[in-house]
Amino acid sequence: MTPAAPTAVPGAGGLPTGTGYAPCHHGEILQGVFLDDAGRRCAGLVTLPMAGPGSDAEFVRRPGTAPEVLTVVPAGRTKAARAAALAVTECARRAGQPPCGGELRLTGDIPVGLGMGSSTSDVIATVRAVADSYGLRLTPGTVARLAVRAELACDPLMLDGRPVLFAQREGRVLEVLGPALPPLVVVGCALGGGAPVDTLSLPVHEPGDSDVRACERLRTRLRRAIATGDVRLLGQVATASARRGQRALGHPEFDALTLIARRVGAAGVQIAHSGAVAGVLFDPAAPGLRHRVRSCLRALDAHGIPATRTFTTFTTTKGILHGPAHRGVDRPTGPDTPRRPARLPAL
C-alpha cells in the first residue's frame, strides 16, 4: 500500500468523505477447480469483463463515534456494511487513528442475482470509498483480502482488467493468463427468465482427480487462446466450462443456446457460474458479423430467451456492428477505455 496525498474532501458538516467505484462482469469464461503453484487444489475462475454498469460508493466518516455505528443506504446491503467495518479498521490502523463510524451510500445499475458480481462490486466500491476518506489507496491484494472477509468469496473486479485465473475464496491470483483477452463481441442474454439463482440450494459436486485434470486442460487451452488471439479456441473453452457447470445449474435453455451459437457461426457461449446471465461469443473479424448478431438475436427471441445487451470487450459496440472491424485498433477493457454509455434493460 502506497499512501496517496490526502484526497478526502469535506462532506456534509465538514466531515471527511471518500468515494469509490467498481465495475461488474458478465459471468465466467472458465470456472472450476485448479492446482496452485504448490499443487494444492483451489476453486478458481476467469471472468468476462464488461464496461458500463457498476457500483458507486460514498463514505462519510464521523470521527469520535463508535466504529459499530455504521449506517448503509440503501439498507440491506449487509456485505457492503461488513466491508465498510473491515475497511475502517484497516485504514484507521494505517492512518494511526482510532476507528470510527460513518455513513455509506451506494448507487449503481448492476442487475442483482444474475451472476454479474453485483455484491463484489458493492464491496470493492465500499472499501475504496472508506480508504479514500482516509486519504489512502489500498493495493488490489489488500482490497481482495478485505472483500473475501466481507463476503467469503469475491470476483477479481479489483484488478486491472487483465485476464487472470482467480481463486475467489482466497482472494488471490493463481495465474495471469496474458495481457488481454482476444477481442470479442458478446450477445448477452438471461436464462431462466432472468430469475436470480439461489447458489446455496444448488447440488454440491465434490471434485475428483478427473475434474481437476479436465479443468487444467481447459486452463491450458485458454492460456493458448489468449496468447494467440484465437477467439474460436476461447469460445470452445467457455462452452466446455459452461457445459460442466450445468451439472449444478441445469439451465433448461442450455441446449438451445449452444444450438443457436452453432447455427449463427458464433465461437461459443459463456454462462455465469452463480447466476442466469449468459453470452454468445463472436469473433469481430468474422465475415458477416452484423448478420450473425442479428440472426442470433432473432433466434434467442424465437426460443423465449431474453436478450440483454450486445457489447464488446475492447471498443464501442457501434463501431463493430455498424462498420468494419479493425484489429489494429483493438484495445483491452480497462478503466480508461472509452465506452458509449449503455444500460442493461430491465428483465
Side-chain angles (χ1 to χ4, degrees):
M1 189 280 297
T2 302
T7 58
V9 296
L15 296 172
T17 301
T19 59
Y21 171 80
C24 70
H25 61 78
H26 199 264
E28 282 70 42
I29 295 172
L30 175 61
Q31 189 264 337
V33 178
F34 305 88
L35 299 178
D36 66 7
D37 290 340
R40 186 172 62 89
R41 291 183 182 181
C42 297
L45 49 78
V46 181
T47 54
L48 177 63
M50 184 180 75
S55 295
D56 287 281
E58 179 185 74
F59 184 72
V60 179
R61 187 156 50 92
R62 300 185 180 277
T65 62
E68 61 270 17
V69 183
L70 281 168
T71 59
V72 181
V73 181
R77 303 288 181 91
T78 56
K79 294 177 180 178
R82 286 198 296 270
L86 291 167
V88 163
T89 300
E90 179 78 17
C91 294
R93 179 185 63 80
R94 291 171 182 247
Q97 302 179 23
C100 65
E103 180 177 290
L104 172 68
R105 290 185 174 272
L106 292 165
T107 57
D109 53 1
I110 305 174
V112 176
L114 293 185
M116 298 175 67
S118 60
S119 62
T120 293
S121 186
D122 279 353
V123 163
I124 294 172
T126 295
V127 171
R128 287 173 170 168
V130 172
D132 189 43
S133 77
Y134 282 90
L136 300 174
R137 185 182 299 275
L138 302 178
T139 65
T142 299
V143 175
R145 174 172 57 81
L146 294 174
V148 168
R149 290 180 62 191
E151 58 172 343
L152 302 182
C154 71
D155 299 309
L157 299 176
M158 73 294 296
L159 302 177
D160 60 6
R162 289 181 298 170
V164 298
L165 180 62
F166 188 75
Q168 68 270 27
R169 297 173 188 168
E170 302 174 26
R172 65 188 179 102
V173 174
L174 299 178
E175 180 184 356
V176 177
L177 296 166
L181 290 174
L184 298 169
V185 170
V186 183
V187 175
C189 59
L191 307 181
V197 173
D198 181 4
T199 56
L200 296 179
S201 68
L202 296 176
V204 177
H205 172 72
E206 189 64 32
D209 291 342
S210 62
D211 294 296
V212 176
R213 287 194 295 269
C215 290
E216 285 293 338
R217 285 194 295 270
L218 292 176
R219 174 185 186 177
T220 298
R221 298 180 72 197
L222 181 58
R223 186 190 303 124
R224 185 166 69 249
I226 292 171
T228 61
D230 190 336
V231 175
R232 182 66 57 177
L233 180 57
L234 183 147
Q236 292 171 359
V237 170
T239 303
S241 178
R243 190 178 302 281
R244 293 181 61 82
Q246 294 312 298
R247 293 182 297 184
L249 293 169
H251 291 300
E253 308 98 327
F254 179 76
D255 288 341
L257 187 67
T258 54
L259 177 62
I260 290 169
R262 288 196 299 271
R263 285 181 173 174
V264 300
V269 302
Q270 57 86 212
I271 296 178
H273 82 280
S274 62
V277 73
V280 182
L281 309 177
F282 291 89
D283 184 343
L289 176 66
R290 283 175 288 173
H291 173 73
R292 295 172 192 267
V293 168
R294 290 167 183 161
S295 297
C296 179
L297 291 168
R298 288 194 296 268
L300 290 172
D301 182 63
H303 283 83
I305 301 174
T308 52
R309 177 184 177 191
T310 299
F311 66 97
T312 75
T313 59
F314 64 101
T315 186
T316 62
T317 303
K318 182 178 180 181
I320 289 299
L321 300 183
H322 300 282
H326 297 289
R327 283 187 178 271
V329 296
D330 293 344
R331 294 180 60 197
T333 297
D336 300 321
T337 305
R339 300 281 176 165
R340 181 181 61 180
R343 294 171 63 93
L344 285 164
L347 298 174

mmCIF file of all heavy atoms in Angstrom, residues 80-97:
data_model
loop_
_atom_site.group_PDB
_atom_site.id
_atom_site.type_symbol
_atom_site.label_atom_id
_atom_site.label_comp_id
_atom_site.label_asym_id
_atom_site.label_seq_id
_atom_site.Cartn_x
_atom_site.Cartn_y
_atom_site.Cartn_z
ATOM 1 N N ALA A 80 -21.756 -5.153 2.024
ATOM 2 C CA ALA A 80 -21.094 -3.852 1.950
ATOM 3 C C ALA A 80 -20.888 -3.270 3.339
ATOM 4 O O ALA A 80 -19.856 -2.635 3.613
ATOM 5 C CB ALA A 80 -21.915 -2.898 1.093
ATOM 6 N N ALA A 81 -21.847 -3.485 4.241
ATOM 7 C CA ALA A 81 -21.698 -2.994 5.614
ATOM 8 C C ALA A 81 -20.512 -3.665 6.298
ATOM 9 O O ALA A 81 -19.722 -3.004 6.998
ATOM 10 C CB ALA A 81 -22.981 -3.246 6.396
ATOM 11 N N ARG A 82 -20.375 -4.988 6.101
ATOM 12 C CA ARG A 82 -19.216 -5.686 6.681
ATOM 13 C C ARG A 82 -17.923 -5.163 6.073
ATOM 14 O O ARG A 82 -16.920 -4.979 6.767
ATOM 15 C CB ARG A 82 -19.333 -7.195 6.458
ATOM 16 C CG ARG A 82 -20.371 -7.871 7.334
ATOM 17 C CD ARG A 82 -20.154 -9.379 7.394
ATOM 18 N NE ARG A 82 -20.329 -10.017 6.100
ATOM 19 C CZ ARG A 82 -21.483 -10.493 5.660
ATOM 20 N NH1 ARG A 82 -22.573 -10.387 6.403
ATOM 21 N NH2 ARG A 82 -21.564 -11.082 4.475
ATOM 22 N N ALA A 83 -17.949 -4.918 4.772
ATOM 23 C CA ALA A 83 -16.747 -4.401 4.106
ATOM 24 C C ALA A 83 -16.370 -3.033 4.659
ATOM 25 O O ALA A 83 -15.181 -2.737 4.850
ATOM 26 C CB ALA A 83 -16.985 -4.316 2.599
ATOM 27 N N ALA A 84 -17.362 -2.186 4.919
ATOM 28 C CA ALA A 84 -17.080 -0.860 5.460
ATOM 29 C C ALA A 84 -16.428 -0.966 6.833
ATOM 30 O O ALA A 84 -15.445 -0.271 7.122
ATOM 31 C CB ALA A 84 -18.371 -0.044 5.540
ATOM 32 N N ALA A 85 -16.959 -1.849 7.671
ATOM 33 C CA ALA A 85 -16.387 -2.008 9.020
ATOM 34 C C ALA A 85 -14.957 -2.527 8.948
ATOM 35 O O ALA A 85 -14.067 -2.043 9.671
ATOM 36 C CB ALA A 85 -17.265 -2.951 9.842
ATOM 37 N N LEU A 86 -14.718 -3.503 8.088
ATOM 38 C CA LEU A 86 -13.366 -4.051 7.943
ATOM 39 C C LEU A 86 -12.417 -2.999 7.383
ATOM 40 O O LEU A 86 -11.258 -2.882 7.826
ATOM 41 C CB LEU A 86 -13.406 -5.265 7.017
ATOM 42 C CG LEU A 86 -14.107 -6.512 7.563
ATOM 43 C CD1 LEU A 86 -14.363 -7.510 6.435
ATOM 44 C CD2 LEU A 86 -13.285 -7.165 8.668
ATOM 45 N N ALA A 87 -12.880 -2.232 6.405
ATOM 46 C CA ALA A 87 -12.024 -1.217 5.795
ATOM 47 C C ALA A 87 -11.712 -0.087 6.772
ATOM 48 O O ALA A 87 -10.594 0.435 6.781
ATOM 49 C CB ALA A 87 -12.690 -0.660 4.539
ATOM 50 N N VAL A 88 -12.677 0.292 7.607
ATOM 51 C CA VAL A 88 -12.422 1.324 8.611
ATOM 52 C C VAL A 88 -11.334 0.864 9.564
ATOM 53 O O VAL A 88 -10.395 1.614 9.884
ATOM 54 C CB VAL A 88 -13.718 1.668 9.370
ATOM 55 C CG1 VAL A 88 -13.396 2.412 10.664
ATOM 56 C CG2 VAL A 88 -14.641 2.507 8.499
ATOM 57 N N THR A 89 -11.430 -0.377 10.034
ATOM 58 C CA THR A 89 -10.409 -0.904 10.943
ATOM 59 C C THR A 89 -9.032 -0.889 10.295
ATOM 60 O O THR A 89 -8.039 -0.466 10.894
ATOM 61 C CB THR A 89 -10.774 -2.335 11.375
ATOM 62 O OG1 THR A 89 -12.040 -2.309 12.056
ATOM 63 C CG2 THR A 89 -9.719 -2.925 12.296
ATOM 64 N N GLU A 90 -8.965 -1.345 9.043
ATOM 65 C CA GLU A 90 -7.696 -1.406 8.316
ATOM 66 C C GLU A 90 -7.128 -0.010 8.078
ATOM 67 O O GLU A 90 -5.937 0.249 8.325
ATOM 68 C CB GLU A 90 -7.906 -2.110 6.977
ATOM 69 C CG GLU A 90 -6.674 -2.218 6.097
ATOM 70 C CD GLU A 90 -5.728 -3.308 6.536
ATOM 71 O OE1 GLU A 90 -6.148 -4.196 7.310
ATOM 72 O OE2 GLU A 90 -4.555 -3.282 6.100
ATOM 73 N N CYS A 91 -7.952 0.897 7.605
ATOM 74 C CA CYS A 91 -7.461 2.227 7.236
ATOM 75 C C CYS A 91 -7.136 3.070 8.459
ATOM 76 O O CYS A 91 -6.159 3.849 8.448
ATOM 77 C CB CYS A 91 -8.490 2.928 6.358
ATOM 78 S SG CYS A 91 -8.722 2.143 4.745
ATOM 79 N N ALA A 92 -7.929 2.939 9.503
ATOM 80 C CA ALA A 92 -7.641 3.690 10.723
ATOM 81 C C ALA A 92 -6.291 3.260 11.294
ATOM 82 O O ALA A 92 -5.496 4.099 11.756
ATOM 83 C CB ALA A 92 -8.756 3.489 11.739
ATOM 84 N N ARG A 93 -6.023 1.967 11.255
ATOM 85 C CA ARG A 93 -4.732 1.469 11.752
ATOM 86 C C ARG A 93 -3.588 2.041 10.929
ATOM 87 O O ARG A 93 -2.580 2.515 11.477
ATOM 88 C CB ARG A 93 -4.714 -0.062 11.701
ATOM 89 C CG ARG A 93 -3.398 -0.679 12.169
ATOM 90 C CD ARG A 93 -3.402 -2.180 11.986
ATOM 91 N NE ARG A 93 -3.507 -2.572 10.589
ATOM 92 C CZ ARG A 93 -2.487 -2.574 9.742
ATOM 93 N NH1 ARG A 93 -1.273 -2.172 10.131
ATOM 94 N NH2 ARG A 93 -2.657 -2.971 8.490
ATOM 95 N N ARG A 94 -3.736 2.046 9.616
ATOM 96 C CA ARG A 94 -2.675 2.560 8.751
ATOM 97 C C ARG A 94 -2.487 4.070 8.928
ATOM 98 O O ARG A 94 -1.380 4.574 8.774
ATOM 99 C CB ARG A 94 -2.997 2.241 7.290
ATOM 100 C CG ARG A 94 -2.917 0.753 6.951
ATOM 101 C CD ARG A 94 -3.455 0.491 5.547
ATOM 102 N NE ARG A 94 -3.414 -0.939 5.232
ATOM 103 C CZ ARG A 94 -2.631 -1.479 4.309
ATOM 104 N NH1 ARG A 94 -1.812 -0.717 3.608
ATOM 105 N NH2 ARG A 94 -2.652 -2.775 4.084
ATOM 106 N N ALA A 95 -3.585 4.773 9.215
ATOM 107 C CA ALA A 95 -3.510 6.222 9.375
ATOM 108 C C ALA A 95 -3.154 6.642 10.795
ATOM 109 O O ALA A 95 -2.981 7.831 11.060
ATOM 110 C CB ALA A 95 -4.843 6.845 8.971
ATOM 111 N N GLY A 96 -3.043 5.663 11.718
ATOM 112 C CA GLY A 96 -2.720 5.985 13.104
ATOM 113 C C GLY A 96 -3.844 6.708 13.824
ATOM 114 O O GLY A 96 -3.598 7.545 14.703
ATOM 115 N N GLN A 97 -5.089 6.371 13.464
ATOM 116 C CA GLN A 97 -6.256 6.998 14.085
ATOM 117 C C GLN A 97 -7.148 5.935 14.693
ATOM 118 O O GLN A 97 -7.119 4.774 14.262
ATOM 119 C CB GLN A 97 -7.044 7.804 13.044
ATOM 120 C CG GLN A 97 -6.262 8.897 12.348
ATOM 121 C CD GLN A 97 -7.113 9.614 11.314
ATOM 122 O OE1 GLN A 97 -8.345 9.606 11.387
ATOM 123 N NE2 GLN A 97 -6.460 10.238 10.335
#
